[in-house]
């Protein structure tokens, strides 16, 4: 499968984010193909839309969640992060929450946000739920084995580089910081940190269609 994008991170702001992963070829001028045809997005577009990984994780309620069969909304937004992330995750989640809130009500009803933890050891079900409730209770938290999470991330071009011990104790988890936008089972757009909220809102409405 074509890797979409490696992490696109400003070193000064993305501690715990992998800044060395390569970027795959992409277009930003309507080059995506497939279900979205020649739709033009304001975020980055992979050279070809990515498929949703056929990986089963678990919700915070302990129920299995298959990324193909359980993403039943017309639009799915996927972000890999962790609740102890000191900088980039809160920034991305804040922008994502704002974009979600600014969607027209009918588009919001068609849109599902998935937060996949990259730190399943510390991000227990209750921790994940509490964290996401600070942003929006409708957001879905997913966990699982690190192997399954890494497999899903790899298929979407999101690097997870593992733990980095901190001098004062504890650890950070290196991970890509892109949000991946799906229309049904294919993703023709990726938003990197710093993408304007207005651009995300416009792109999500394009994903939802007329």
């Amino acid at each position: 499968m074509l890797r979409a994008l490696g992490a696109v991170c400003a070193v000064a702001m993305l501690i715990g984010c992998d800044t060395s992963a390569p970027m795959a070829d992409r277009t930003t001028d309507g080059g995506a193909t497939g279900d979205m045809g020649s739709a033009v997005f304001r975020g980055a577009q992979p050279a070809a839309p990515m498929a949703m990984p056929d990986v089963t994780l678990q919700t915070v309620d302990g129920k299995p969640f298959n990324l193909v069969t359980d993403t039943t909304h017309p639009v799915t937004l996927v972000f890999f992060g962790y609740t102890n992330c000191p900088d980039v995750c809160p920034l991305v989640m804040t922008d994502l929450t704002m974009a979600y809130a600014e969607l027209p009500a009918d588009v919001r009803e068609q849109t599902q946000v998935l937060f996949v933890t990259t730190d399943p050891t510390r991000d227990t079900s209750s921790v994940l739920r509490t964290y996401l409730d600070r942003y929006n209770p409708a957001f879905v938290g997913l966990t699982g084995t690190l192997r399954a999470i890494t497999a899903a991330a790899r298929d979407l071009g999101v690097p997870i580089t593992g733990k980095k011990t901190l001098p004062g104790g504890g650890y950070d988890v290196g991970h890509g910081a892109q949000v991946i936008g799906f229309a049904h089972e294919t993703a023709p757009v990726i938003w990197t940190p710093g993408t304007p909220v207005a651009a995300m809102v416009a792109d999500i409405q394009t994903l939802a269609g007329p």
Side-chain angles (χ1 to χ4, degrees):
M1 177 182 293
L2 176 71
R3 289 180 63 106
L5 288 175
V8 180
C9 309
V11 175
M13 66 180 288
L14 302 190
I15 299 172
C17 198
D18 184 358
T19 61
S20 61
M23 295 172 62
D25 292 339
R26 69 197 188 280
T27 63
T28 57
D29 57 358
T33 59
D35 291 344
M36 296 307 296
S38 59
V40 177
F41 294 95
R42 296 170 68 179
Q45 293 181 244
M50 297 174 292
M52 185 71 81
D54 188 6
V55 175
T56 298
L57 301 173
Q58 290 83 44
T59 68
V60 295
D61 298 324
K63 298 177 181 178
F65 188 101
N66 182 272
L67 292 176
V68 172
T69 60
D70 291 318
T71 48
T72 55
H73 289 62
V75 178
T76 303
L77 313 179
V78 182
F79 177 65
F80 290 81
Y82 66 110
T83 65
N84 282 283
C85 181
D87 38 39
V88 62
C89 294
L91 291 172
V92 172
M93 289 299 295
T94 296
D95 286 348
L96 186 54
T97 300
M98 293 174 61
Y100 184 81
E102 292 182 15
L103 293 172
D106 60 330
V107 176
R108 193 182 312 117
E109 291 175 357
Q110 299 178 62
T111 303
Q112 182 178 47
V113 176
L114 305 182
F115 180 96
V116 184
T117 180
T118 58
D119 185 16
T121 300
R122 291 185 294 187
D123 286 348
T124 63
S125 295
S126 60
V127 167
L128 265 180
R129 185 68 271 161
T130 299
Y131 177 82
L132 292 177
D133 284 348
R134 298 171 188 163
Y135 295 102
N136 193 303
F139 291 175
V140 177
L142 297 176
T143 186
T145 66
L146 186 58
R147 180 176 181 179
I149 292 167
T150 302
R154 181 184 62 243
D155 285 352
L156 294 176
V158 179
I160 298 178
T161 58
K163 300 177 181 179
K164 179 180 179 181
T165 302
L166 299 174
Y171 59 87
D172 281 339
V173 179
H175 65 91
Q178 60 266 47
V179 177
I180 305 164
F182 283 85
H184 297 288
E185 294 181 10
T186 57
V189 63
I190 299 165
W191 303 290
T192 54
T195 299
V197 169
M200 296 179 68
V201 171
D203 285 349
I204 294 168
Q205 292 183 81
T206 299
L207 289 172

